mmCIF file with all atom_site columns, all heavy atoms in Angstrom:
data_model
loop_
_atom_site.group_PDB
_atom_site.id
_atom_site.type_symbol
_atom_site.label_atom_id
_atom_site.label_alt_id
_atom_site.label_comp_id
_atom_site.label_asym_id
_atom_site.label_entity_id
_atom_site.label_seq_id
_atom_site.pdbx_PDB_ins_code
_atom_site.Cartn_x
_atom_site.Cartn_y
_atom_site.Cartn_z
_atom_site.occupancy
_atom_site.B_iso_or_equiv
_atom_site.pdbx_formal_charge
_atom_site.auth_seq_id
_atom_site.auth_comp_id
_atom_site.auth_asym_id
_atom_site.auth_atom_id
_atom_site.pdbx_PDB_model_num
ATOM 1   N N   . ARG A 1 389 ? 61.039 24.202 29.898 1.00 0.00 ? 772 ARG A N   1
ATOM 2   C CA  . ARG A 1 389 ? 60.534 25.427 30.348 1.00 0.00 ? 772 ARG A CA  1
ATOM 3   C C   . ARG A 1 389 ? 59.481 25.346 31.467 1.00 0.00 ? 772 ARG A C   1
ATOM 4   O O   . ARG A 1 389 ? 59.194 26.242 32.098 1.00 0.00 ? 772 ARG A O   1
ATOM 5   C CB  . ARG A 1 389 ? 59.840 26.199 29.118 1.00 0.00 ? 772 ARG A CB  1
ATOM 6   C CG  . ARG A 1 389 ? 58.641 25.634 28.559 1.00 0.00 ? 772 ARG A CG  1
ATOM 7   C CD  . ARG A 1 389 ? 58.065 26.383 27.382 1.00 0.00 ? 772 ARG A CD  1
ATOM 8   N NE  . ARG A 1 389 ? 57.783 25.553 26.265 1.00 0.00 ? 772 ARG A NE  1
ATOM 9   C CZ  . ARG A 1 389 ? 56.617 25.137 25.868 1.00 0.00 ? 772 ARG A CZ  1
ATOM 10  N NH1 . ARG A 1 389 ? 55.549 25.316 26.680 1.00 0.00 ? 772 ARG A NH1 1
ATOM 11  N NH2 . ARG A 1 389 ? 56.428 24.361 24.846 1.00 0.00 ? 772 ARG A NH2 1
ATOM 12  N N   . PHE A 1 390 ? 58.911 24.124 31.544 1.00 0.00 ? 773 PHE A N   1
ATOM 13  C CA  . PHE A 1 390 ? 57.895 23.970 32.606 1.00 0.00 ? 773 PHE A CA  1
ATOM 14  C C   . PHE A 1 390 ? 58.482 23.899 33.970 1.00 0.00 ? 773 PHE A C   1
ATOM 15  O O   . PHE A 1 390 ? 57.732 24.055 34.958 1.00 0.00 ? 773 PHE A O   1
ATOM 16  C CB  . PHE A 1 390 ? 57.088 22.644 32.287 1.00 0.00 ? 773 PHE A CB  1
ATOM 17  C CG  . PHE A 1 390 ? 56.195 22.862 31.140 1.00 0.00 ? 773 PHE A CG  1
ATOM 18  C CD1 . PHE A 1 390 ? 56.473 22.227 29.899 1.00 0.00 ? 773 PHE A CD1 1
ATOM 19  C CD2 . PHE A 1 390 ? 55.036 23.582 31.235 1.00 0.00 ? 773 PHE A CD2 1
ATOM 20  C CE1 . PHE A 1 390 ? 55.677 22.447 28.874 1.00 0.00 ? 773 PHE A CE1 1
ATOM 21  C CE2 . PHE A 1 390 ? 54.184 23.821 30.131 1.00 0.00 ? 773 PHE A CE2 1
ATOM 22  C CZ  . PHE A 1 390 ? 54.504 23.177 28.924 1.00 0.00 ? 773 PHE A CZ  1
ATOM 23  N N   . THR A 1 391 ? 59.727 23.821 34.110 1.00 0.00 ? 774 THR A N   1
ATOM 24  C CA  . THR A 1 391 ? 60.377 23.976 35.414 1.00 0.00 ? 774 THR A CA  1
ATOM 25  C C   . THR A 1 391 ? 60.159 25.289 35.990 1.00 0.00 ? 774 THR A C   1
ATOM 26  O O   . THR A 1 391 ? 59.900 25.484 37.204 1.00 0.00 ? 774 THR A O   1
ATOM 27  C CB  . THR A 1 391 ? 61.948 23.829 35.361 1.00 0.00 ? 774 THR A CB  1
ATOM 28  O OG1 . THR A 1 391 ? 62.405 24.583 34.282 1.00 0.00 ? 774 THR A OG1 1
ATOM 29  C CG2 . THR A 1 391 ? 62.386 22.392 35.232 1.00 0.00 ? 774 THR A CG2 1
ATOM 30  N N   . LYS A 1 392 ? 60.003 26.296 35.178 1.00 0.00 ? 775 LYS A N   1
ATOM 31  C CA  . LYS A 1 392 ? 59.764 27.603 35.572 1.00 0.00 ? 775 LYS A CA  1
ATOM 32  C C   . LYS A 1 392 ? 58.333 27.771 36.142 1.00 0.00 ? 775 LYS A C   1
ATOM 33  O O   . LYS A 1 392 ? 58.157 28.345 37.229 1.00 0.00 ? 775 LYS A O   1
ATOM 34  C CB  . LYS A 1 392 ? 59.941 28.641 34.428 1.00 0.00 ? 775 LYS A CB  1
ATOM 35  C CG  . LYS A 1 392 ? 60.165 30.025 34.914 1.00 0.00 ? 775 LYS A CG  1
ATOM 36  C CD  . LYS A 1 392 ? 61.016 30.814 33.806 1.00 0.00 ? 775 LYS A CD  1
ATOM 37  C CE  . LYS A 1 392 ? 61.457 32.124 34.374 1.00 0.00 ? 775 LYS A CE  1
ATOM 38  N NZ  . LYS A 1 392 ? 62.341 32.815 33.402 1.00 0.00 ? 775 LYS A NZ  1
ATOM 39  N N   . THR A 1 393 ? 57.409 27.191 35.392 1.00 0.00 ? 776 THR A N   1
ATOM 40  C CA  . THR A 1 393 ? 56.020 27.202 35.905 1.00 0.00 ? 776 THR A CA  1
ATOM 41  C C   . THR A 1 393 ? 55.940 26.538 37.334 1.00 0.00 ? 776 THR A C   1
ATOM 42  O O   . THR A 1 393 ? 55.289 27.117 38.203 1.00 0.00 ? 776 THR A O   1
ATOM 43  C CB  . THR A 1 393 ? 55.147 26.328 34.911 1.00 0.00 ? 776 THR A CB  1
ATOM 44  O OG1 . THR A 1 393 ? 55.435 26.787 33.619 1.00 0.00 ? 776 THR A OG1 1
ATOM 45  C CG2 . THR A 1 393 ? 53.708 26.517 35.240 1.00 0.00 ? 776 THR A CG2 1
ATOM 46  N N   . TYR A 1 394 ? 56.666 25.513 37.370 1.00 0.00 ? 777 TYR A N   1
ATOM 47  C CA  . TYR A 1 394 ? 56.648 24.691 38.629 1.00 0.00 ? 777 TYR A CA  1
ATOM 48  C C   . TYR A 1 394 ? 57.268 25.455 39.811 1.00 0.00 ? 777 TYR A C   1
ATOM 49  O O   . TYR A 1 394 ? 56.711 25.641 40.874 1.00 0.00 ? 777 TYR A O   1
ATOM 50  C CB  . TYR A 1 394 ? 57.383 23.407 38.368 1.00 0.00 ? 777 TYR A CB  1
ATOM 51  C CG  . TYR A 1 394 ? 57.681 22.563 39.538 1.00 0.00 ? 777 TYR A CG  1
ATOM 52  C CD1 . TYR A 1 394 ? 56.792 21.542 39.956 1.00 0.00 ? 777 TYR A CD1 1
ATOM 53  C CD2 . TYR A 1 394 ? 58.962 22.625 40.246 1.00 0.00 ? 777 TYR A CD2 1
ATOM 54  C CE1 . TYR A 1 394 ? 57.105 20.741 41.036 1.00 0.00 ? 777 TYR A CE1 1
ATOM 55  C CE2 . TYR A 1 394 ? 59.197 21.793 41.220 1.00 0.00 ? 777 TYR A CE2 1
ATOM 56  C CZ  . TYR A 1 394 ? 58.259 20.834 41.719 1.00 0.00 ? 777 TYR A CZ  1
ATOM 57  O OH  . TYR A 1 394 ? 58.570 19.976 42.708 1.00 0.00 ? 777 TYR A OH  1
ATOM 58  N N   . THR A 1 395 ? 58.513 26.020 39.564 1.00 0.00 ? 778 THR A N   1
ATOM 59  C CA  . THR A 1 395 ? 59.188 26.655 40.626 1.00 0.00 ? 778 THR A CA  1
ATOM 60  C C   . THR A 1 395 ? 58.538 27.919 41.012 1.00 0.00 ? 778 THR A C   1
ATOM 61  O O   . THR A 1 395 ? 58.431 28.232 42.248 1.00 0.00 ? 778 THR A O   1
ATOM 62  C CB  . THR A 1 395 ? 60.675 26.933 40.291 1.00 0.00 ? 778 THR A CB  1
ATOM 63  O OG1 . THR A 1 395 ? 60.739 27.581 39.002 1.00 0.00 ? 778 THR A OG1 1
ATOM 64  C CG2 . THR A 1 395 ? 61.461 25.650 40.225 1.00 0.00 ? 778 THR A CG2 1
ATOM 65  N N   . ASN A 1 396 ? 58.012 28.676 40.142 1.00 0.00 ? 779 ASN A N   1
ATOM 66  C CA  . ASN A 1 396 ? 57.297 29.954 40.445 1.00 0.00 ? 779 ASN A CA  1
ATOM 67  C C   . ASN A 1 396 ? 56.140 29.658 41.397 1.00 0.00 ? 779 ASN A C   1
ATOM 68  O O   . ASN A 1 396 ? 55.954 30.317 42.351 1.00 0.00 ? 779 ASN A O   1
ATOM 69  C CB  . ASN A 1 396 ? 56.733 30.626 39.164 1.00 0.00 ? 779 ASN A CB  1
ATOM 70  C CG  . ASN A 1 396 ? 57.738 31.403 38.426 1.00 0.00 ? 779 ASN A CG  1
ATOM 71  O OD1 . ASN A 1 396 ? 58.874 31.549 38.894 1.00 0.00 ? 779 ASN A OD1 1
ATOM 72  N ND2 . ASN A 1 396 ? 57.454 31.773 37.252 1.00 0.00 ? 779 ASN A ND2 1
ATOM 73  N N   . TRP A 1 397 ? 55.479 28.565 41.127 1.00 0.00 ? 780 TRP A N   1
ATOM 74  C CA  . TRP A 1 397 ? 54.372 28.205 41.978 1.00 0.00 ? 780 TRP A CA  1
ATOM 75  C C   . TRP A 1 397 ? 54.772 27.799 43.388 1.00 0.00 ? 780 TRP A C   1
ATOM 76  O O   . TRP A 1 397 ? 54.321 28.270 44.417 1.00 0.00 ? 780 TRP A O   1
ATOM 77  C CB  . TRP A 1 397 ? 53.521 27.117 41.361 1.00 0.00 ? 780 TRP A CB  1
ATOM 78  C CG  . TRP A 1 397 ? 52.238 26.853 42.036 1.00 0.00 ? 780 TRP A CG  1
ATOM 79  C CD1 . TRP A 1 397 ? 51.147 27.704 42.140 1.00 0.00 ? 780 TRP A CD1 1
ATOM 80  C CD2 . TRP A 1 397 ? 51.894 25.665 42.861 1.00 0.00 ? 780 TRP A CD2 1
ATOM 81  N NE1 . TRP A 1 397 ? 50.183 27.117 42.908 1.00 0.00 ? 780 TRP A NE1 1
ATOM 82  C CE2 . TRP A 1 397 ? 50.629 25.854 43.356 1.00 0.00 ? 780 TRP A CE2 1
ATOM 83  C CE3 . TRP A 1 397 ? 52.651 24.495 43.157 1.00 0.00 ? 780 TRP A CE3 1
ATOM 84  C CZ2 . TRP A 1 397 ? 49.950 24.945 44.119 1.00 0.00 ? 780 TRP A CZ2 1
ATOM 85  C CZ3 . TRP A 1 397 ? 51.927 23.612 43.914 1.00 0.00 ? 780 TRP A CZ3 1
ATOM 86  C CH2 . TRP A 1 397 ? 50.661 23.772 44.426 1.00 0.00 ? 780 TRP A CH2 1
ATOM 87  N N   . LEU A 1 398 ? 55.791 26.917 43.455 1.00 0.00 ? 781 LEU A N   1
ATOM 88  C CA  . LEU A 1 398 ? 56.195 26.477 44.670 1.00 0.00 ? 781 LEU A CA  1
ATOM 89  C C   . LEU A 1 398 ? 56.883 27.561 45.595 1.00 0.00 ? 781 LEU A C   1
ATOM 90  O O   . LEU A 1 398 ? 56.792 27.545 46.784 1.00 0.00 ? 781 LEU A O   1
ATOM 91  C CB  . LEU A 1 398 ? 57.218 25.298 44.553 1.00 0.00 ? 781 LEU A CB  1
ATOM 92  C CG  . LEU A 1 398 ? 56.626 23.936 44.335 1.00 0.00 ? 781 LEU A CG  1
ATOM 93  C CD1 . LEU A 1 398 ? 57.681 22.861 44.200 1.00 0.00 ? 781 LEU A CD1 1
ATOM 94  C CD2 . LEU A 1 398 ? 55.603 23.516 45.330 1.00 0.00 ? 781 LEU A CD2 1
ATOM 95  N N   . GLU A 1 399 ? 57.540 28.508 44.894 1.00 0.00 ? 782 GLU A N   1
ATOM 96  C CA  . GLU A 1 399 ? 58.150 29.549 45.651 1.00 0.00 ? 782 GLU A CA  1
ATOM 97  C C   . GLU A 1 399 ? 57.179 30.466 46.344 1.00 0.00 ? 782 GLU A C   1
ATOM 98  O O   . GLU A 1 399 ? 57.457 31.151 47.322 1.00 0.00 ? 782 GLU A O   1
ATOM 99  C CB  . GLU A 1 399 ? 59.170 30.398 44.707 1.00 0.00 ? 782 GLU A CB  1
ATOM 100 C CG  . GLU A 1 399 ? 60.481 29.653 44.564 1.00 0.00 ? 782 GLU A CG  1
ATOM 101 C CD  . GLU A 1 399 ? 61.277 30.154 43.329 1.00 0.00 ? 782 GLU A CD  1
ATOM 102 O OE1 . GLU A 1 399 ? 60.809 31.136 42.700 1.00 0.00 ? 782 GLU A OE1 1
ATOM 103 O OE2 . GLU A 1 399 ? 62.324 29.520 43.118 1.00 0.00 ? 782 GLU A OE2 1
ATOM 104 N N   . ASN A 1 400 ? 56.004 30.535 45.723 1.00 0.00 ? 783 ASN A N   1
ATOM 105 C CA  . ASN A 1 400 ? 54.947 31.444 46.330 1.00 0.00 ? 783 ASN A CA  1
ATOM 106 C C   . ASN A 1 400 ? 53.804 30.662 46.905 1.00 0.00 ? 783 ASN A C   1
ATOM 107 O O   . ASN A 1 400 ? 52.745 31.127 47.002 1.00 0.00 ? 783 ASN A O   1
ATOM 108 C CB  . ASN A 1 400 ? 54.468 32.334 45.179 1.00 0.00 ? 783 ASN A CB  1
ATOM 109 C CG  . ASN A 1 400 ? 55.568 33.190 44.574 1.00 0.00 ? 783 ASN A CG  1
ATOM 110 O OD1 . ASN A 1 400 ? 56.205 33.946 45.316 1.00 0.00 ? 783 ASN A OD1 1
ATOM 111 N ND2 . ASN A 1 400 ? 55.788 32.980 43.383 1.00 0.00 ? 783 ASN A ND2 1
ATOM 112 N N   . ILE A 1 401 ? 54.105 29.452 47.283 1.00 0.00 ? 784 ILE A N   1
ATOM 113 C CA  . ILE A 1 401 ? 53.041 28.574 47.741 1.00 0.00 ? 784 ILE A CA  1
ATOM 114 C C   . ILE A 1 401 ? 52.380 28.995 48.993 1.00 0.00 ? 784 ILE A C   1
ATOM 115 O O   . ILE A 1 401 ? 53.048 29.552 49.859 1.00 0.00 ? 784 ILE A O   1
ATOM 116 C CB  . ILE A 1 401 ? 53.548 27.096 47.882 1.00 0.00 ? 784 ILE A CB  1
ATOM 117 C CG1 . ILE A 1 401 ? 52.379 26.210 47.843 1.00 0.00 ? 784 ILE A CG1 1
ATOM 118 C CG2 . ILE A 1 401 ? 54.378 26.918 49.097 1.00 0.00 ? 784 ILE A CG2 1
ATOM 119 C CD1 . ILE A 1 401 ? 52.672 24.789 47.422 1.00 0.00 ? 784 ILE A CD1 1
ATOM 120 N N   . ARG A 1 402 ? 51.089 28.715 49.090 1.00 0.00 ? 785 ARG A N   1
ATOM 121 C CA  . ARG A 1 402 ? 50.363 28.979 50.347 1.00 0.00 ? 785 ARG A CA  1
ATOM 122 C C   . ARG A 1 402 ? 49.757 27.709 50.891 1.00 0.00 ? 785 ARG A C   1
ATOM 123 O O   . ARG A 1 402 ? 49.767 26.692 50.230 1.00 0.00 ? 785 ARG A O   1
ATOM 124 C CB  . ARG A 1 402 ? 49.226 29.872 50.018 1.00 0.00 ? 785 ARG A CB  1
ATOM 125 C CG  . ARG A 1 402 ? 49.808 31.251 49.401 1.00 0.00 ? 785 ARG A CG  1
ATOM 126 C CD  . ARG A 1 402 ? 48.699 32.192 48.858 1.00 0.00 ? 785 ARG A CD  1
ATOM 127 N NE  . ARG A 1 402 ? 47.838 32.566 50.016 1.00 0.00 ? 785 ARG A NE  1
ATOM 128 C CZ  . ARG A 1 402 ? 46.595 33.013 49.859 1.00 0.00 ? 785 ARG A CZ  1
ATOM 129 N NH1 . ARG A 1 402 ? 46.099 33.182 48.671 1.00 0.00 ? 785 ARG A NH1 1
ATOM 130 N NH2 . ARG A 1 402 ? 45.905 33.384 50.860 1.00 0.00 ? 785 ARG A NH2 1
#
Side-chain angles (χ1 to χ4, degrees):
Chain A
R772 69 181 131 95
F773 290 103
T774 44
K775 201 156 192 173
T776 311
Y777 171 89
T778 51
N779 281 351
W780 188 69
L781 279 184
E782 278 163 3
N783 300 300
I784 196 156
R785 304 172 60 197

